[in-house]
PDB file of all heavy atoms in Angstrom:
ATOM      1  N   ASP A  91       8.714   0.486   0.545  1.00  0.00           N
ATOM      2  CA  ASP A  91       9.300  -0.467   1.496  1.00  0.00           C
ATOM      3  C   ASP A  91       8.186  -0.946   2.429  1.00  0.00           C
ATOM      4  O   ASP A  91       7.056  -0.449   2.391  1.00  0.00           O
ATOM      5  CB  ASP A  91      10.384   0.282   2.320  1.00  0.00           C
ATOM      6  CG  ASP A  91      11.340  -0.650   3.053  1.00  0.00           C
ATOM      7  OD1 ASP A  91      11.111  -1.884   3.021  1.00  0.00           O
ATOM      8  OD2 ASP A  91      12.298  -0.139   3.657  1.00  0.00           O
ATOM      9  N   THR A  92       8.517  -1.886   3.281  1.00  0.00           N
ATOM     10  CA  THR A  92       7.625  -2.199   4.393  1.00  0.00           C
ATOM     11  C   THR A  92       7.781  -1.088   5.428  1.00  0.00           C
ATOM     12  O   THR A  92       8.792  -0.401   5.472  1.00  0.00           O
ATOM     13  CB  THR A  92       7.985  -3.575   5.004  1.00  0.00           C
ATOM     14  OG1 THR A  92       7.035  -3.916   6.010  1.00  0.00           O
ATOM     15  CG2 THR A  92       9.385  -3.626   5.584  1.00  0.00           C
ATOM     16  N   ASP A  93       6.677  -0.906   6.200  1.00  0.00           N
ATOM     17  CA  ASP A  93       6.757   0.037   7.322  1.00  0.00           C
ATOM     18  C   ASP A  93       6.844   1.505   6.898  1.00  0.00           C
ATOM     19  O   ASP A  93       7.295   2.341   7.670  1.00  0.00           O
ATOM     20  CB  ASP A  93       8.005  -0.280   8.176  1.00  0.00           C
ATOM     21  CG  ASP A  93       7.584  -0.568   9.639  1.00  0.00           C
ATOM     22  OD1 ASP A  93       6.403  -0.899   9.875  1.00  0.00           O
ATOM     23  OD2 ASP A  93       8.450  -0.407  10.517  1.00  0.00           O
ATOM     24  N   VAL A  94       6.401   1.834   5.680  1.00  0.00           N
ATOM     25  CA  VAL A  94       6.498   3.226   5.217  1.00  0.00           C
ATOM     26  C   VAL A  94       5.221   4.016   5.483  1.00  0.00           C
ATOM     27  O   VAL A  94       5.201   5.224   5.291  1.00  0.00           O
ATOM     28  CB  VAL A  94       6.821   3.332   3.712  1.00  0.00           C
ATOM     29  CG1 VAL A  94       8.232   2.889   3.408  1.00  0.00           C
ATOM     30  CG2 VAL A  94       5.796   2.594   2.855  1.00  0.00           C
ATOM     31  N   GLY A  95       4.144   3.307   5.909  1.00  0.00           N
ATOM     32  CA  GLY A  95       2.894   4.007   6.175  1.00  0.00           C
ATOM     33  C   GLY A  95       1.755   3.633   5.243  1.00  0.00           C
ATOM     34  O   GLY A  95       0.770   4.372   5.142  1.00  0.00           O
ATOM     35  N   LYS A  96       1.845   2.478   4.589  1.00  0.00           N
ATOM     36  CA  LYS A  96       0.766   2.071   3.663  1.00  0.00           C
ATOM     37  C   LYS A  96      -0.553   1.921   4.401  1.00  0.00           C
ATOM     38  O   LYS A  96      -1.608   2.325   3.917  1.00  0.00           O
ATOM     39  CB  LYS A  96       1.114   0.742   2.997  1.00  0.00           C
ATOM     40  CG  LYS A  96       2.340   0.760   2.113  1.00  0.00           C
ATOM     41  CD  LYS A  96       2.489  -0.547   1.335  1.00  0.00           C
ATOM     42  CE  LYS A  96       2.656  -1.752   2.257  1.00  0.00           C
ATOM     43  NZ  LYS A  96       3.915  -1.720   3.024  1.00  0.00           N
ATOM     44  N   THR A  97      -0.505   1.316   5.600  1.00  0.00           N
ATOM     45  CA  THR A  97      -1.761   1.090   6.334  1.00  0.00           C
ATOM     46  C   THR A  97      -2.358   2.408   6.802  1.00  0.00           C
ATOM     47  O   THR A  97      -3.573   2.633   6.699  1.00  0.00           O
ATOM     48  CB  THR A  97      -1.531   0.138   7.521  1.00  0.00           C
ATOM     49  OG1 THR A  97      -1.029  -1.106   7.015  1.00  0.00           O
ATOM     50  CG2 THR A  97      -2.817  -0.125   8.277  1.00  0.00           C
ATOM     51  N   LEU A  98      -1.511   3.297   7.285  1.00  0.00           N
ATOM     52  CA  LEU A  98      -2.005   4.624   7.697  1.00  0.00           C
ATOM     53  C   LEU A  98      -2.663   5.325   6.518  1.00  0.00           C
ATOM     54  O   LEU A  98      -3.780   5.832   6.612  1.00  0.00           O
ATOM     55  CB  LEU A  98      -0.852   5.471   8.241  1.00  0.00           C
ATOM     56  CG  LEU A  98      -1.253   6.913   8.578  1.00  0.00           C
ATOM     57  CD1 LEU A  98      -2.132   6.976   9.804  1.00  0.00           C
ATOM     58  CD2 LEU A  98      -0.032   7.800   8.753  1.00  0.00           C
ATOM     59  N   VAL A  99      -1.988   5.344   5.382  1.00  0.00           N
ATOM     60  CA  VAL A  99      -2.544   6.020   4.203  1.00  0.00           C
ATOM     61  C   VAL A  99      -3.811   5.317   3.735  1.00  0.00           C
ATOM     62  O   VAL A  99      -4.798   5.961   3.361  1.00  0.00           O
ATOM     63  CB  VAL A  99      -1.488   6.087   3.081  1.00  0.00           C
ATOM     64  CG1 VAL A  99      -2.099   6.521   1.747  1.00  0.00           C
ATOM     65  CG2 VAL A  99      -0.358   7.038   3.483  1.00  0.00           C
ATOM     66  N   LYS A 113      -6.715  -6.314   2.426  1.00  0.00           N
ATOM     67  CA  LYS A 113      -5.294  -6.675   2.451  1.00  0.00           C
ATOM     68  C   LYS A 113      -5.214  -8.095   1.935  1.00  0.00           C
ATOM     69  O   LYS A 113      -5.484  -9.054   2.688  1.00  0.00           O
ATOM     70  CB  LYS A 113      -4.763  -6.570   3.884  1.00  0.00           C
ATOM     71  CG  LYS A 113      -3.311  -7.030   4.074  1.00  0.00           C
ATOM     72  CD  LYS A 113      -2.323  -5.899   3.973  1.00  0.00           C
ATOM     73  CE  LYS A 113      -0.913  -6.362   4.372  1.00  0.00           C
ATOM     74  NZ  LYS A 113       0.066  -5.264   4.386  1.00  0.00           N
ATOM     75  N   GLN A 116      -1.763 -11.135   4.228  1.00  0.00           N
ATOM     76  CA  GLN A 116      -1.285 -10.616   5.514  1.00  0.00           C
ATOM     77  C   GLN A 116      -0.284 -11.604   6.092  1.00  0.00           C
ATOM     78  O   GLN A 116      -0.601 -12.766   6.310  1.00  0.00           O
ATOM     79  CB  GLN A 116      -2.449 -10.440   6.490  1.00  0.00           C
ATOM     80  CG  GLN A 116      -2.012  -9.956   7.881  1.00  0.00           C
ATOM     81  CD  GLN A 116      -1.472  -8.526   7.876  1.00  0.00           C
ATOM     82  OE1 GLN A 116      -2.187  -7.590   7.525  1.00  0.00           O
ATOM     83  NE2 GLN A 116      -0.223  -8.362   8.260  1.00  0.00           N
ATOM     84  N   ASP A 124      -2.950  -5.593   9.694  1.00  0.00           N
ATOM     85  CA  ASP A 124      -3.296  -4.311   9.063  1.00  0.00           C
ATOM     86  C   ASP A 124      -4.805  -4.110   9.039  1.00  0.00           C
ATOM     87  O   ASP A 124      -5.301  -2.991   9.223  1.00  0.00           O
ATOM     88  CB  ASP A 124      -2.722  -4.253   7.646  1.00  0.00           C
ATOM     89  CG  ASP A 124      -1.208  -4.071   7.645  1.00  0.00           C
ATOM     90  OD1 ASP A 124      -0.637  -3.843   8.728  1.00  0.00           O
ATOM     91  OD2 ASP A 124      -0.595  -4.143   6.574  1.00  0.00           O
ATOM     92  N   THR A 127      -5.824  -2.795  12.276  1.00  0.00           N
ATOM     93  CA  THR A 127      -5.436  -1.384  12.399  1.00  0.00           C
ATOM     94  C   THR A 127      -6.416  -0.484  11.653  1.00  0.00           C
ATOM     95  O   THR A 127      -6.871   0.536  12.184  1.00  0.00           O
ATOM     96  CB  THR A 127      -4.010  -1.177  11.854  1.00  0.00           C
ATOM     97  OG1 THR A 127      -3.108  -2.004  12.597  1.00  0.00           O
ATOM     98  CG2 THR A 127      -3.575   0.281  11.957  1.00  0.00           C
ATOM     99  N   ARG A 130      -9.589  -0.108  13.425  1.00  0.00           N
ATOM    100  CA  ARG A 130      -9.448   0.823  14.574  1.00  0.00           C
ATOM    101  C   ARG A 130      -9.456   2.275  14.088  1.00  0.00           C
ATOM    102  O   ARG A 130     -10.059   3.155  14.716  1.00  0.00           O
ATOM    103  CB  ARG A 130      -8.146   0.518  15.311  1.00  0.00           C
ATOM    104  CG  ARG A 130      -7.806   1.432  16.470  1.00  0.00           C
ATOM    105  CD  ARG A 130      -6.623   0.895  17.278  1.00  0.00           C
ATOM    106  NE  ARG A 130      -5.417   0.762  16.473  1.00  0.00           N
ATOM    107  CZ  ARG A 130      -4.579   1.783  16.219  1.00  0.00           C
ATOM    108  NH1 ARG A 130      -4.862   2.999  16.684  1.00  0.00           N
ATOM    109  NH2 ARG A 130      -3.474   1.599  15.506  1.00  0.00           N
ATOM    110  N   GLU A 178      -4.359  -2.966  -0.037  1.00  0.00           N
ATOM    111  CA  GLU A 178      -2.993  -2.720   0.446  1.00  0.00           C
ATOM    112  C   GLU A 178      -2.101  -3.921   0.166  1.00  0.00           C
ATOM    113  O   GLU A 178      -2.421  -5.057   0.531  1.00  0.00           O
ATOM    114  CB  GLU A 178      -2.988  -2.423   1.949  1.00  0.00           C
ATOM    115  CG  GLU A 178      -1.560  -2.167   2.447  1.00  0.00           C
ATOM    116  CD  GLU A 178      -1.424  -1.970   3.945  1.00  0.00           C
ATOM    117  OE1 GLU A 178      -2.457  -1.745   4.630  1.00  0.00           O
ATOM    118  OE2 GLU A 178      -0.283  -2.047   4.438  1.00  0.00           O
ATOM    119  N   GLY A 179      -0.982  -3.643  -0.464  1.00  0.00           N
ATOM    120  CA  GLY A 179      -0.016  -4.710  -0.725  1.00  0.00           C
ATOM    121  C   GLY A 179       0.777  -5.054   0.533  1.00  0.00           C
ATOM    122  O   GLY A 179       0.622  -4.425   1.582  1.00  0.00           O
ATOM    123  N   ALA A 180       1.625  -6.060   0.404  1.00  0.00           N
ATOM    124  CA  ALA A 180       2.537  -6.433   1.497  1.00  0.00           C
ATOM    125  C   ALA A 180       3.929  -5.932   1.100  1.00  0.00           C
ATOM    126  O   ALA A 180       4.442  -6.306   0.039  1.00  0.00           O
ATOM    127  CB  ALA A 180       2.551  -7.949   1.682  1.00  0.00           C
ATOM    128  N   GLY A 181       4.495  -5.073   1.921  1.00  0.00           N
ATOM    129  CA  GLY A 181       5.810  -4.539   1.590  1.00  0.00           C
ATOM    130  C   GLY A 181       5.768  -3.680   0.331  1.00  0.00           C
ATOM    131  O   GLY A 181       4.810  -2.961   0.086  1.00  0.00           O
ATOM    132  N   GLY A 182       6.827  -3.817  -0.495  1.00  0.00           N
ATOM    133  CA  GLY A 182       6.900  -3.006  -1.707  1.00  0.00           C
ATOM    134  C   GLY A 182       6.560  -3.781  -2.962  1.00  0.00           C
ATOM    135  O   GLY A 182       6.119  -4.929  -2.920  1.00  0.00           O
ATOM    136  N   VAL A 207       3.295   4.908  -1.475  1.00  0.00           N
ATOM    137  CA  VAL A 207       3.619   5.599  -0.220  1.00  0.00           C
ATOM    138  C   VAL A 207       5.135   5.589  -0.045  1.00  0.00           C
ATOM    139  O   VAL A 207       5.774   4.533  -0.168  1.00  0.00           O
ATOM    140  CB  VAL A 207       2.935   4.924   0.983  1.00  0.00           C
ATOM    141  CG1 VAL A 207       3.275   5.641   2.287  1.00  0.00           C
ATOM    142  CG2 VAL A 207       1.414   4.902   0.774  1.00  0.00           C
ATOM    143  N   ASN A 238       5.261  10.426   3.322  1.00  0.00           N
ATOM    144  CA  ASN A 238       4.896  10.236   4.727  1.00  0.00           C
ATOM    145  C   ASN A 238       6.092  10.575   5.607  1.00  0.00           C
ATOM    146  O   ASN A 238       7.132   9.927   5.537  1.00  0.00           O
ATOM    147  CB  ASN A 238       4.464   8.782   4.961  1.00  0.00           C
ATOM    148  CG  ASN A 238       3.938   8.575   6.368  1.00  0.00           C
ATOM    149  OD1 ASN A 238       3.451   9.505   7.012  1.00  0.00           O
ATOM    150  ND2 ASN A 238       4.031   7.345   6.852  1.00  0.00           N
ATOM    151  N   GLY A 239       5.956  11.630   6.407  1.00  0.00           N
ATOM    152  CA  GLY A 239       7.044  12.058   7.289  1.00  0.00           C
ATOM    153  C   GLY A 239       7.187  13.567   7.255  1.00  0.00           C
ATOM    154  O   GLY A 239       6.402  14.277   6.623  1.00  0.00           O
ATOM    155  N   ILE A 261       1.829  13.481   4.340  1.00  0.00           N
ATOM    156  CA  ILE A 261       1.280  13.163   5.666  1.00  0.00           C
ATOM    157  C   ILE A 261       2.369  13.450   6.702  1.00  0.00           C
ATOM    158  O   ILE A 261       3.482  12.927   6.599  1.00  0.00           O
ATOM    159  CB  ILE A 261       0.863  11.675   5.752  1.00  0.00           C
ATOM    160  CG1 ILE A 261      -0.082  11.302   4.615  1.00  0.00           C
ATOM    161  CG2 ILE A 261       0.268  11.361   7.122  1.00  0.00           C
ATOM    162  CD1 ILE A 261      -1.514  11.755   4.760  1.00  0.00           C
ATOM    163  N   GLN A 262       2.026  14.273   7.664  1.00  0.00           N
ATOM    164  CA  GLN A 262       3.007  14.657   8.678  1.00  0.00           C
ATOM    165  C   GLN A 262       3.124  13.598   9.775  1.00  0.00           C
ATOM    166  O   GLN A 262       2.174  12.824   9.990  1.00  0.00           O
ATOM    167  CB  GLN A 262       2.557  15.976   9.329  1.00  0.00           C
ATOM    168  CG  GLN A 262       2.490  17.141   8.345  1.00  0.00           C
ATOM    169  CD  GLN A 262       3.791  17.328   7.599  1.00  0.00           C
ATOM    170  OE1 GLN A 262       4.809  17.662   8.189  1.00  0.00           O
ATOM    171  NE2 GLN A 262       3.763  17.069   6.302  1.00  0.00           N
ATOM    172  N   PRO A 263       4.235  13.581  10.485  1.00  0.00           N
ATOM    173  CA  PRO A 263       4.336  12.665  11.638  1.00  0.00           C
ATOM    174  C   PRO A 263       3.255  12.994  12.660  1.00  0.00           C
ATOM    175  O   PRO A 263       3.047  14.168  12.994  1.00  0.00           O
ATOM    176  CB  PRO A 263       5.730  12.964  12.195  1.00  0.00           C
ATOM    177  CG  PRO A 263       6.491  13.558  11.055  1.00  0.00           C
ATOM    178  CD  PRO A 263       5.484  14.321  10.243  1.00  0.00           C
ATOM    179  N   LEU A 264       2.544  11.976  13.113  1.00  0.00           N
ATOM    180  CA  LEU A 264       1.517  12.152  14.142  1.00  0.00           C
ATOM    181  C   LEU A 264       2.099  11.740  15.491  1.00  0.00           C
ATOM    182  O   LEU A 264       2.911  10.810  15.562  1.00  0.00           O
ATOM    183  CB  LEU A 264       0.298  11.281  13.829  1.00  0.00           C
ATOM    184  CG  LEU A 264      -0.444  11.578  12.515  1.00  0.00           C
ATOM    185  CD1 LEU A 264      -1.475  10.488  12.251  1.00  0.00           C
ATOM    186  CD2 LEU A 264      -1.082  12.953  12.558  1.00  0.00           C
ATOM    187  N   PRO A 265       1.693  12.405  16.557  1.00  0.00           N
ATOM    188  CA  PRO A 265       2.203  12.009  17.884  1.00  0.00           C
ATOM    189  C   PRO A 265       1.803  10.582  18.249  1.00  0.00           C
ATOM    190  O   PRO A 265       2.502   9.879  18.963  1.00  0.00           O
ATOM    191  CB  PRO A 265       1.565  13.034  18.839  1.00  0.00           C
ATOM    192  CG  PRO A 265       0.495  13.723  18.064  1.00  0.00           C
ATOM    193  CD  PRO A 265       0.810  13.578  16.622  1.00  0.00           C
ATOM    194  N   ALA A 266       0.662  10.165  17.678  1.00  0.00           N
ATOM    195  CA  ALA A 266       0.197   8.780  17.855  1.00  0.00           C
ATOM    196  C   ALA A 266      -0.733   8.504  16.679  1.00  0.00           C
ATOM    197  O   ALA A 266      -1.290   9.439  16.085  1.00  0.00           O
ATOM    198  CB  ALA A 266      -0.549   8.627  19.169  1.00  0.00           C
ATOM    199  N   VAL A 267      -0.872   7.254  16.309  1.00  0.00           N
ATOM    200  CA  VAL A 267      -1.766   6.924  15.192  1.00  0.00           C
ATOM    201  C   VAL A 267      -3.090   6.445  15.785  1.00  0.00           C
ATOM    202  O   VAL A 267      -3.268   5.279  16.155  1.00  0.00           O
ATOM    203  CB  VAL A 267      -1.132   5.882  14.273  1.00  0.00           C
ATOM    204  CG1 VAL A 267      -2.116   5.484  13.164  1.00  0.00           C
ATOM    205  CG2 VAL A 267       0.143   6.442  13.648  1.00  0.00           C
TER     206      VAL A 267
HETATM  207  N1  ATP B 461       2.694   9.793   9.768  1.00  0.00           N
HETATM  208  C1  ATP B 461       2.917   8.944  10.795  1.00  0.00           C
HETATM  209  N2  ATP B 461       3.022   9.423  12.064  1.00  0.00           N
HETATM  210  C2  ATP B 461       3.262   8.585  13.106  1.00  0.00           C
HETATM  211  N3  ATP B 461       3.415   7.249  12.996  1.00  0.00           N
HETATM  212  C3  ATP B 461       3.322   6.736  11.731  1.00  0.00           C
HETATM  213  C4  ATP B 461       3.067   7.549  10.597  1.00  0.00           C
HETATM  214  N4  ATP B 461       3.001   6.732   9.499  1.00  0.00           N
HETATM  215  C5  ATP B 461       3.219   5.474   9.945  1.00  0.00           C
HETATM  216  N5  ATP B 461       3.397   5.468  11.291  1.00  0.00           N
HETATM  217  C6  ATP B 461       3.676   4.288  12.136  1.00  0.00           C
HETATM  218  O1  ATP B 461       4.765   3.591  11.523  1.00  0.00           O
HETATM  219  C7  ATP B 461       4.531   2.167  11.553  1.00  0.00           C
HETATM  220  C8  ATP B 461       4.466   1.664  10.100  1.00  0.00           C
HETATM  221  O2  ATP B 461       3.308   2.217   9.478  1.00  0.00           O
HETATM  222  P1  ATP B 461       2.352   1.260   8.636  1.00  0.00           P
HETATM  223  O3  ATP B 461       1.974   0.070   9.435  1.00  0.00           O
HETATM  224  O4  ATP B 461       1.244   2.086   8.084  1.00  0.00           O
HETATM  225  O5  ATP B 461       3.364   0.807   7.482  1.00  0.00           O
HETATM  226  P2  ATP B 461       3.095  -0.223   6.331  1.00  0.00           P
HETATM  227  O6  ATP B 461       3.805   0.281   5.133  1.00  0.00           O
HETATM  228  O7  ATP B 461       1.636  -0.460   6.206  1.00  0.00           O
HETATM  229  O8  ATP B 461       3.811  -1.547   6.866  1.00  0.00           O
HETATM  230  P3  ATP B 461       3.605  -3.057   6.308  1.00  0.00           P
HETATM  231  O9  ATP B 461       4.581  -3.200   5.162  1.00  0.00           O
HETATM  232  O10 ATP B 461       3.932  -3.901   7.479  1.00  0.00           O
HETATM  233  O11 ATP B 461       2.179  -3.196   5.875  1.00  0.00           O
HETATM  234  C9  ATP B 461       3.222   1.963  12.310  1.00  0.00           C
HETATM  235  O12 ATP B 461       3.518   1.742  13.681  1.00  0.00           O
HETATM  236  C10 ATP B 461       2.516   3.299  12.149  1.00  0.00           C
HETATM  237  O13 ATP B 461       1.608   3.566  13.222  1.00  0.00           O
END
Side-chain angles (χ1 to χ4, degrees):
D91 197 354
T92 185
D93 238 21
V94 290
K96 297 188 299 294
T97 301
L98 175 71
V99 168
K113 175 94 172 184
Q116 178 68 61
D124 287 352
T127 301
R130 177 170 60 83
E178 180 185 345
V207 180
N238 186 26
I261 307 283
Q262 298 306 295
L264 298 171
V267 176

